[in-house]
Structure formats: structure tokens, C-alpha cells
Amino acid sequence: MRDTITATYCSLLGAYFLIPPFIVIICMVIQIKYLKRNMTSAVDQLSTYASVTIFLVSTLFFTSHIAFVICVACWFIKHPHDHGAGYFDKWGRYAGMCEFLLPLFYALVYPMILVCRKRTLREKYLRHLRRLCCRPHPETEPLLY
């Protein structure tokens, strides 16, 4: 009975974390095919640029979700029959860490992709970073009032 519950739980968990990444990949392929099919010579470069950005963002989403599924699979392969009292305590910490860090990774890299892909945003953020990093020391710079 316990093995049946564990198998059902693993199946539902797998479906919950596997369906969204594959839907995103399917939508990515459809969107890129649509952009490529409707290209004209004037919009050719813009379509290619949009396709690459869609590919990068979709791949990032897919990777961050699949990494969690791989972590879960590795945990269940490593501990197939370890269902003692401390099992869910260990599993909870491991799953919580993966479930927290992978979306955090996605949230960190997603804006970086957008900023790096758009020239005006990239220049704006580089200008702000230069201003923050290269600020002259208050004692060496004359005060301008």
C-alpha cells in the first residue's frame, strides 16, 4: 500500500513539474516557426532577434524546471526504500532548497537575458553601473554647489 502511495505521489509530482516545461518548449517551437514563416526582408533581422530571445528565455525556463525534476529523480533513486522517520525531514530540506534556488536562478537570469539582448537597456544599465562603480571619492572631488 505504501509503495502504491509513493508511486502515485511520484507520478503526480513528475506530471506537475514536467508538463509546464514541455508546454513552453512546444510553444517556443510554434512561435519561432510562425516568426520564420512570416518573415519579410525588412523584418528579417527583427524576427531572427525575437526568435533568439524566445529561444533563450524558453530554454532557461525548461532548464530550471527540468533541473528540479532531475534532483527529485536522483533523490528517489538514491533513497529508494528509505522511508523511515527522518526521510521526509531530509527530503523536505532537499526539495525546499531545490524548489527555492532554481526559481531564484530563473528570476536572476531572465532579466539579464532581456537586458543583454536589448542594446538600449544594456547601455542604460552599463551607464548606471559605471556611475555607481566609478564614483569619485568625496574628499578628492571638489564640491559643486
Side-chain angles (χ1 to χ4, degrees), residues 12-68:
L12 290 175
L13 187 67
Y16 179 76
F17 285 105
L18 282 175
I19 290 174
F22 283 107
I23 289 173
V24 166
I25 291 296
I26 290 168
C27 291
M28 176 194 70
V29 169
I30 291 169
Q31 183 70 31
I32 290 174
K33 283 187 177 190
Y34 175 78
L35 284 171
K36 294 287 184 188
R37 186 181 55 193
N38 294 330
M39 282 193 304
T40 60
S41 59
V43 208
D44 185 31
Q45 188 177 11
L46 183 63
S47 295
T48 303
Y49 191 79
S51 296
V52 170
T53 304
I54 290 168
F55 174 76
L56 289 172
V57 170
S58 299
T59 304
L60 175 65
F61 181 83
F62 181 81
T63 305
S64 64
H65 274 69
I66 291 299
F68 181 74

Side-chain angles (χ1 to χ4, degrees), residues 93-120:
R93 277 189 259 140
Y94 181 74
M97 187 175 66
C98 290
E99 203 168 1
F100 174 74
L101 290 179
L102 292 171
L104 190 62
F105 171 74
Y106 176 77
L108 174 74
V109 176
Y110 182 81
M112 291 173 68
I113 289 173
L114 297 179
V115 168
C116 290
R117 297 285 302 154
K118 184 143 175 93
R119 187 172 51 97
T120 55

